[in-house]
Amino acid sequence: MRQPLTRELHDLLERGRDRQLRLAVTGLSRSGKTAFLTSLVNQLRHAGLEARLDLLPAARDGRLLGARRVEQHDLGVPRFPFDRAMSALDDRPPRWPEPTRGISELRLVLRYRPRRPGLMGGETRRLTLDLFDYPGEWLLDLPLLGHDYPSWCRSQTGHGDAREALFADWQREVATLDPAQEVDEGRLAEIAERYAAGLRAAREAGFSDLQPGRFLLPGELEGAPVLQFFPLPGIADADPAQLAQLPPESLYATLARRFRHYQQHIVRPFYRDHFRHFDRQIVLVDILGALNAGPERFEDLSRALGRLMQSFDYGRRSLLSRLFAPRIDRLAIAATKADHVTPEQHPRMTGLIETLLAEPLKDLHFANVPVRALSLAAIRATEAREVHHQGQRQPALRGITLAGEEALLFPGEVPSRLPDADFWARQGFTFTAFRPLPRDAGALPHIRMDAALDWLIGDKLQ
């Protein structure tokens, strides 16, 4: 007990002195969370040496001396697999790190010289940076806290033909069910598995707005009754009073009971124990992947992000609130994989993500929450080139595709606004995916990781 208590007191004092920061890295599947965290740690470890961090003033001015990994606060949470990720990038040929499948954490101590040294000169300070990584699939469960079972059932309809087709097996089974019938546990488990299979197929097909998230990454809950429920499409027109009077052993009552248990014992503790303690947050979005996947997937991503942004507690904080009621007081929204398009397209990526999240961004500005959108590549996998075509210079990218083929190409333009139906009918998108570049030891190549770091932690390095 003594050591954890000492650690708690130390963390409380550091937060009171504004020398501890908790940064959450969030995003949906394939958004690049593992690559982002790996690059962030790598850049800070090489700060003051060969890392190129010109957009982070503390590094550009030579005041950021580096970072060291130390024991994390919560010893019951897996450590972010930084070393394993770096080993994958150092393979021959290099490969992308395996994505994380659960919660992970990493603590860094940054050492820097303040912009205005003390009277004695030569003063150095430390900032403790706690990094948190969460599965995007679990994040999408947070909006469930605003539903009861009937309203959640209604929210799971009308998602488009392509997605509905992936749930055809489940729909055939659920269409034969009567909410008032006595529940058959064996059949209920089978139908719940068909629903989970539909969610997995939808994720592989590029859809994002998928609930419940734990059905996709169940972990230790695999096979538990709390993961054996699903929406009943037919209850939208049912009388709520009649549904409430159904006996406890009915199918409807059983599904509603399991939904409430999932809310209260899976989703709410996750929000209570983790998310409400964050200071800063970056939300990563694979907007190029959504464009590649087509209009239904793009609209699905927009809907998922809108719901996600409404689930967090944002706002500026005083010293007392930092200690006893933490809230997220600075937010970054990053369009990832900027290295998959040519440099002149990067502003379009940023503009598109701003347009995609226009309504949530208005709410954040109204709440006086500092927010910034940017495009970045946590680990740059291509090199910008120019080619001559019909007497004109054209931008191009050089890289190695995931299939191992060397490519020199112009991947296409990013739309400057949200694509409409006519746009999708005229053309699609084929942004190529690349494997990591071979590298020597040292800092990982990147695009605008220094800008992200400046926004997220730069004010703490003054």
Side-chain angles (χ1 to χ4, degrees):
M1 289 292 293
R2 195 169 191 176
Q3 185 176 355
L5 180 59
T6 302
R7 190 182 301 119
E8 291 281 357
L9 290 173
H10 176 268
D11 287 351
L12 191 64
L13 289 172
E14 290 296 284
R15 288 183 67 75
R17 298 166 67 192
D18 208 19
R19 293 189 181 178
Q20 184 185 44
L21 197 64
R22 296 165 176 165
L23 171 62
V25 179
T26 66
L28 302 178
S29 181
R30 299 185 179 90
S31 61
K33 294 196 290 24
T34 302
F36 180 88
L37 274 164
T38 301
S39 181
L40 185 151
V41 175
N42 176 268
Q43 304 304 330
L44 292 176
R45 288 280 292 157
H46 289 86
L49 299 172
E50 69 277 5
R52 301 193 63 177
L53 300 172
D54 294 341
L55 299 179
L56 177 62
R60 183 184 64 232
D61 300 341
R63 296 186 295 106
L64 181 55
L65 305 178
R68 178 166 56 94
R69 287 185 288 171
V70 297
E71 186 175 73
Q72 65 200 50
H73 169 74
D74 190 343
L75 301 182
V77 175
R79 198 177 198 189
F80 177 75
F82 173 75
D83 294 317
R84 190 169 68 216
M86 289 301 300
S87 295
L89 295 168
D90 289 334
D91 270 359
R92 291 293 184 267
R95 54 187 175 84
W96 292 111
E98 289 295 319
T100 52
R101 299 295 183 185
I103 299 172
S104 62
E105 180 180 345
L106 193 69
R107 171 170 282 192
L108 296 176
V109 173
L110 281 62
R111 193 160 173 256
Y112 67 99
R113 286 191 292 267
R115 185 187 297 273
R116 296 176 181 173
L119 294 177
M120 302 299 293
E123 177 189 4
T124 62
R125 295 179 185 174
R126 297 188 179 199
L127 174 70
T128 300
L129 179 62
D130 289 315
L131 303 168
F132 299 88
D133 169 36
Y134 294 85
E137 290 82 357
W138 294 5
L139 300 180
L140 288 172
D141 277 344
L142 295 182
L144 292 180
L145 297 176
H147 284 288
D148 58 16
Y149 179 65
S151 69
W152 177 67
C153 291
R154 289 191 292 271
S155 75
Q156 297 305 298
T157 60
H159 288 316
D161 294 340
R163 173 169 156 164
E164 293 296 324
L166 300 172
F167 288 83
D169 288 345
W170 168 75
Q171 288 173 334
R172 279 193 295 270
E173 293 292 329
V174 79
T176 66
L177 298 177
D178 179 356
Q181 72 185 65
E182 183 175 350
V183 68
D184 179 335
E185 290 284 355
R187 190 174 181 214
L188 187 152
E190 292 175 1
I191 298 175
E193 173 52 33
R194 290 178 186 268
Y195 184 70
L199 289 173
R200 292 191 294 269
R203 179 181 60 181
E204 291 304 311
F207 289 97
S208 303
D209 189 17
L210 305 172
Q211 295 173 342
R214 290 289 183 115
F215 282 40
L216 293 165
L217 291 172
E220 73 280 2
L221 296 176
E222 182 80 49
V226 70
L227 297 191
Q228 293 174 351
F229 68 92
F230 43 82
L232 282 174
I235 69 168
D237 301 323
D239 183 352
Q242 292 182 352
L243 290 173
Q245 293 174 359
L246 291 175
E249 64 274 11
S250 68
L251 174 67
Y252 171 81
T254 300
L255 292 173
R257 189 165 56 249
R258 292 184 180 181
F259 176 82
R260 289 193 300 272
H261 188 94
Y262 187 86
Q263 277 183 315
Q264 300 304 316
H265 297 279
I266 304 299
V267 181
R268 191 173 295 280
F270 176 60
Y271 184 85
R272 179 192 66 221
D273 298 339
H274 298 287
F275 264 92
R276 72 183 186 92
H277 295 297
F278 298 149
D279 301 313
R280 305 279 167 92
Q281 176 176 299
I282 182 166
V283 178
L284 306 176
V285 183
D286 180 13
I287 199 156
L288 298 180
L291 288 171
N292 269 352
E296 279 196 27
R297 277 75 160 180
F298 191 81
E299 176 61 29
D300 187 78
L301 174 66
S302 176
R303 183 169 51 247
L305 288 172
R307 290 179 178 177
L308 193 63
M309 299 296 288
Q310 296 171 4
S311 299
F312 299 107
D313 192 16
Y314 297 102
R316 290 183 179 273
R317 297 159 304 147
S318 65
L319 172 61
L320 288 177
S321 67
R322 276 188 59 82
L323 290 171
F324 302 112
R327 303 172 71 191
I328 293 170
D329 68 356
R330 183 167 290 199
L331 171 67
I333 302 171
T336 59
K337 307 178 184 178
D339 57 332
H340 287 34
V341 295
T342 48
E344 82 284 352
Q345 298 297 315
H346 295 174
R348 288 190 167 209
M349 290 183 68
T350 305
L352 189 58
I353 202 69
E354 289 176 331
T355 306
L356 191 65
L357 292 172
E359 292 305 314
L361 288 177
K362 290 175 185 175
D363 294 336
L364 290 168
H365 283 300
F366 179 80
N368 198 27
V369 178
V371 56
R372 181 182 176 187
L374 68 160
S375 61
L376 59 82
I379 302 172
R380 182 169 53 82
T382 63
E383 297 172 342
R385 291 285 189 269
E386 280 189 343
V387 297
H388 294 271
H389 180 66
Q390 296 181 348
Q392 293 184 335
R393 291 183 176 182
Q394 293 187 350
L397 292 179
R398 177 185 174 277
I400 301 174
T401 68
L402 296 179
E405 299 175 351
E406 189 167 333
L408 179 65
L409 53 84
F410 175 69
E413 293 186 346
V414 177
S416 58
R417 57 185 176 86
L418 294 180
D420 56 23
D422 290 339
F423 187 94
W424 289 108
R426 289 195 308 270
Q427 69 177 87
F429 301 92
T430 55
F431 297 113
T432 303
F434 297 91
R435 68 167 52 159
L437 293 171
R439 72 181 201 95
D440 298 322
L444 293 166
H446 67 86
I447 297 174
R448 281 184 291 282
M449 278 295 292
D450 45 356
L453 284 167
D454 181 44
W455 178 249
L456 293 167
I457 68 172
D459 61 317
K460 304 298 182 182
L461 302 174
Q462 298 298 321

